[in-house]
Amino acid sequence: RAKMAGRNQIAFFEESMQTEVENRLTMVRDLAGAIASEQMQMFIQAQVDSLGVPSGAELLMRWTHPLRGAVSPAEFIPLAEESGIIVQLGDWVLQQACLVSLKLRAQGWDFPLSINVSPKQFRQSDFVDKVRTTLSDSGADPRALIFEVTEGLLIDNLQETIIRMRQLCQMGIRFSIDDFGTGYSSLFYLKRLPLYELKIDKSFIRDTPTDSSDTAIVQAILAMAKHLGLRVVAEGVETREQADFLVASACDSLQGYLYSRPIAVDAWLQQHAKPEHVKQTSLADS
Ligand code: C2E
Ligand code: MG
Ligand code: MG
Ligand code: MG
């Protein structure tokens, strides 16, 4: 009887594996056509300063699959990475970022816009050229962009990575370490990389200020960043208590559902009219 059950389990296992492989293949194929068929969309989530004023924003990709509906980036980004489609998606994100930064500027906002750059995209030999061309074609200001990279980028070829980061910094682009604290954390590279910012991973923020170890970790990151001259953003801020703790600990910028969920860029632009001082200027002009 046990044997029978075991055999059935194996058959079931093989079948589900097969379905999974097929699902993956279908998803990769669909992903490859997603931009052309206008299924991808850019969402935006603001980062706010201690007064609640937007001081930055992150662009996040959203995929609406024709049959499956919304597919989470947690699902499709790894697929895109493994299949190489991330390069194509990354190009598109960069173009969108340039357009959005121009729209923000036109609406009187002057905070930088952050995009996620995957390791595979960053390591393409023509990455720097592509960034330069995309920026100049669009007329966007490189100083309006921040590239978020993860610690995974630093695992191999650190020297090459540093050179490339410096080339992009020379153009005016700034770098942020995303999900800081979850990956290959070495104090060695923090000192050597041309960094502007650290983003504390949301897993460390979640249980602050109740959990004493997480609270200590966050404070240690803030102290270290201050010594290194780096700005700090906390991601995943969901409660007033977390925000109060972070502001009291002198965290520069907060991002999370407490302030807003990521929303479609055009909706954001509609909801966030020109800041007051710009309105006044344009009134004076007319
Ligand atoms: P990430 O770059 O660390 O982005 C932050 C994630 O946290 C986003 O998930 C955001 O929606 C979510 N988030 C924001 N506030 C809160 C909060 O208060 N609580 C919680 N629990 N979550 C919050 P999302 O949009 O699902 O993206 C997941 C990951 O997918 C991103 O993590 C990023 O690594 C990747 N990703 C998204 N868009 C792109 C893209 O355009 N290019 C690349 N290469 N990766 C992307
Ligand atoms: Mg990010
Ligand atoms: Mg992050
Ligand atoms: Mg994260």
Side-chain angles (χ1 to χ4, degrees), residues 119 123 151-162 184:
R123 292 203 181 99
E151 294 163 285
L153 180 66
L154 311 164
I155 291 171
D156 26 64
N157 258 325
L158 188 62
Q159 211 45 49
E160 182 65 34
T161 301
I162 292 177
Y184 169 80

mmCIF file of all heavy atoms in Angstrom, residues 119 123 151-162 184:
data_model
loop_
_atom_site.group_PDB
_atom_site.id
_atom_site.type_symbol
_atom_site.label_atom_id
_atom_site.label_comp_id
_atom_site.label_asym_id
_atom_site.label_seq_id
_atom_site.Cartn_x
_atom_site.Cartn_y
_atom_site.Cartn_z
ATOM 1 N N PRO A 119 21.677 42.948 -12.530
ATOM 2 C CA PRO A 119 23.092 42.649 -12.791
ATOM 3 C C PRO A 119 23.355 42.271 -14.250
ATOM 4 O O PRO A 119 24.332 42.729 -14.846
ATOM 5 C CB PRO A 119 23.383 41.459 -11.871
ATOM 6 C CG PRO A 119 22.361 41.545 -10.790
ATOM 7 C CD PRO A 119 21.145 42.164 -11.405
ATOM 8 N N ARG A 123 25.849 44.317 -16.774
ATOM 9 C CA ARG A 123 27.068 43.671 -17.277
ATOM 10 C C ARG A 123 27.148 43.589 -18.793
ATOM 11 O O ARG A 123 28.183 43.205 -19.338
ATOM 12 C CB ARG A 123 27.207 42.265 -16.680
ATOM 13 C CG ARG A 123 27.481 42.302 -15.204
ATOM 14 C CD ARG A 123 28.163 41.025 -14.727
ATOM 15 N NE ARG A 123 28.377 41.096 -13.280
ATOM 16 C CZ ARG A 123 27.603 40.522 -12.374
ATOM 17 N NH1 ARG A 123 26.569 39.785 -12.773
ATOM 18 N NH2 ARG A 123 27.838 40.659 -11.092
ATOM 19 N N GLU A 151 23.359 44.019 -4.010
ATOM 20 C CA GLU A 151 24.682 43.558 -3.620
ATOM 21 C C GLU A 151 25.160 42.405 -4.497
ATOM 22 O O GLU A 151 26.354 42.184 -4.619
ATOM 23 C CB GLU A 151 24.657 43.144 -2.140
ATOM 24 C CG GLU A 151 24.403 44.330 -1.218
ATOM 25 C CD GLU A 151 23.967 43.909 0.167
ATOM 26 O OE1 GLU A 151 22.813 43.492 0.333
ATOM 27 O OE2 GLU A 151 24.793 43.969 1.080
ATOM 28 N N GLY A 152 24.230 41.708 -5.135
ATOM 29 C CA GLY A 152 24.576 40.604 -6.029
ATOM 30 C C GLY A 152 25.490 41.035 -7.169
ATOM 31 O O GLY A 152 26.297 40.251 -7.672
ATOM 32 N N LEU A 153 25.370 42.298 -7.552
ATOM 33 C CA LEU A 153 26.195 42.824 -8.638
ATOM 34 C C LEU A 153 27.669 42.814 -8.268
ATOM 35 O O LEU A 153 28.544 42.806 -9.127
ATOM 36 C CB LEU A 153 25.748 44.266 -8.943
ATOM 37 C CG LEU A 153 26.479 44.998 -10.061
ATOM 38 C CD1 LEU A 153 26.186 44.329 -11.394
ATOM 39 C CD2 LEU A 153 26.058 46.450 -10.105
ATOM 40 N N LEU A 154 27.935 42.804 -6.961
ATOM 41 C CA LEU A 154 29.317 43.015 -6.506
ATOM 42 C C LEU A 154 30.059 41.713 -6.276
ATOM 43 O O LEU A 154 31.225 41.712 -5.921
ATOM 44 C CB LEU A 154 29.281 43.840 -5.220
ATOM 45 C CG LEU A 154 28.388 45.083 -5.355
ATOM 46 C CD1 LEU A 154 28.055 45.652 -4.009
ATOM 47 C CD2 LEU A 154 29.050 46.115 -6.252
ATOM 48 N N ILE A 155 29.359 40.598 -6.472
ATOM 49 C CA ILE A 155 29.981 39.316 -6.169
ATOM 50 C C ILE A 155 31.163 39.029 -7.077
ATOM 51 O O ILE A 155 32.243 38.743 -6.600
ATOM 52 C CB ILE A 155 28.946 38.168 -6.187
ATOM 53 C CG1 ILE A 155 28.008 38.331 -5.003
ATOM 54 C CG2 ILE A 155 29.639 36.818 -6.112
ATOM 55 C CD1 ILE A 155 26.821 37.414 -5.026
ATOM 56 N N ASP A 156 30.969 39.116 -8.401
ATOM 57 C CA ASP A 156 32.158 38.938 -9.226
ATOM 58 C C ASP A 156 32.509 40.156 -10.049
ATOM 59 O O ASP A 156 31.681 41.028 -10.293
ATOM 60 C CB ASP A 156 32.092 37.671 -10.110
ATOM 61 C CG ASP A 156 30.706 37.225 -10.434
ATOM 62 O OD1 ASP A 156 29.986 37.990 -11.121
ATOM 63 O OD2 ASP A 156 30.325 36.130 -9.977
ATOM 64 N N ASN A 157 33.757 40.182 -10.457
ATOM 65 C CA ASN A 157 34.260 41.283 -11.281
ATOM 66 C C ASN A 157 34.101 42.651 -10.644
ATOM 67 O O ASN A 157 33.683 43.607 -11.299
ATOM 68 C CB ASN A 157 33.521 41.293 -12.622
ATOM 69 C CG ASN A 157 34.378 40.683 -13.699
ATOM 70 O OD1 ASN A 157 35.596 40.850 -13.662
ATOM 71 N ND2 ASN A 157 33.755 39.998 -14.625
ATOM 72 N N LEU A 158 34.458 42.739 -9.388
ATOM 73 C CA LEU A 158 34.289 44.001 -8.667
ATOM 74 C C LEU A 158 35.014 45.146 -9.373
ATOM 75 O O LEU A 158 34.488 46.250 -9.498
ATOM 76 C CB LEU A 158 34.794 43.848 -7.229
ATOM 77 C CG LEU A 158 34.508 45.038 -6.313
ATOM 78 C CD1 LEU A 158 33.015 45.273 -6.166
ATOM 79 C CD2 LEU A 158 35.131 44.831 -4.941
ATOM 80 N N GLN A 159 36.211 44.838 -9.883
ATOM 81 C CA GLN A 159 37.010 45.881 -10.530
ATOM 82 C C GLN A 159 36.286 46.471 -11.740
ATOM 83 O O GLN A 159 36.173 47.675 -11.898
ATOM 84 C CB GLN A 159 38.380 45.286 -10.934
ATOM 85 C CG GLN A 159 39.505 46.307 -10.903
ATOM 86 C CD GLN A 159 39.480 47.175 -9.640
ATOM 87 O OE1 GLN A 159 39.386 46.686 -8.514
ATOM 88 N NE2 GLN A 159 39.510 48.498 -9.830
ATOM 89 N N GLU A 160 35.794 45.557 -12.576
ATOM 90 C CA GLU A 160 35.039 45.944 -13.773
ATOM 91 C C GLU A 160 33.779 46.740 -13.391
ATOM 92 O O GLU A 160 33.440 47.741 -14.023
ATOM 93 C CB GLU A 160 34.660 44.637 -14.512
ATOM 94 C CG GLU A 160 33.907 44.807 -15.803
ATOM 95 C CD GLU A 160 34.721 45.499 -16.885
ATOM 96 O OE1 GLU A 160 35.956 45.291 -16.929
ATOM 97 O OE2 GLU A 160 34.105 46.254 -17.668
ATOM 98 N N THR A 161 33.109 46.267 -12.354
ATOM 99 C CA THR A 161 31.900 46.940 -11.885
ATOM 100 C C THR A 161 32.204 48.364 -11.440
ATOM 101 O O THR A 161 31.479 49.303 -11.777
ATOM 102 C CB THR A 161 31.265 46.139 -10.718
ATOM 103 O OG1 THR A 161 30.960 44.831 -11.185
ATOM 104 C CG2 THR A 161 29.999 46.803 -10.209
ATOM 105 N N ILE A 162 33.309 48.513 -10.714
ATOM 106 C CA ILE A 162 33.682 49.851 -10.225
ATOM 107 C C ILE A 162 33.981 50.795 -11.391
ATOM 108 O O ILE A 162 33.515 51.935 -11.417
ATOM 109 C CB ILE A 162 34.898 49.772 -9.271
ATOM 110 C CG1 ILE A 162 34.479 49.046 -7.983
ATOM 111 C CG2 ILE A 162 35.432 51.162 -8.940
ATOM 112 C CD1 ILE A 162 35.598 48.831 -6.980
ATOM 113 N N TYR A 184 25.351 40.154 -0.269
ATOM 114 C CA TYR A 184 26.768 40.041 -0.001
ATOM 115 C C TYR A 184 27.224 41.315 0.696
ATOM 116 O O TYR A 184 27.669 42.262 0.075
ATOM 117 C CB TYR A 184 27.446 39.845 -1.366
ATOM 118 C CG TYR A 184 28.941 39.951 -1.433
ATOM 119 C CD1 TYR A 184 29.746 38.900 -1.045
ATOM 120 C CD2 TYR A 184 29.535 41.115 -1.944
ATOM 121 C CE1 TYR A 184 31.124 38.999 -1.158
ATOM 122 C CE2 TYR A 184 30.909 41.203 -2.060
ATOM 123 C CZ TYR A 184 31.687 40.151 -1.652
ATOM 124 O OH TYR A 184 33.036 40.243 -1.754
#
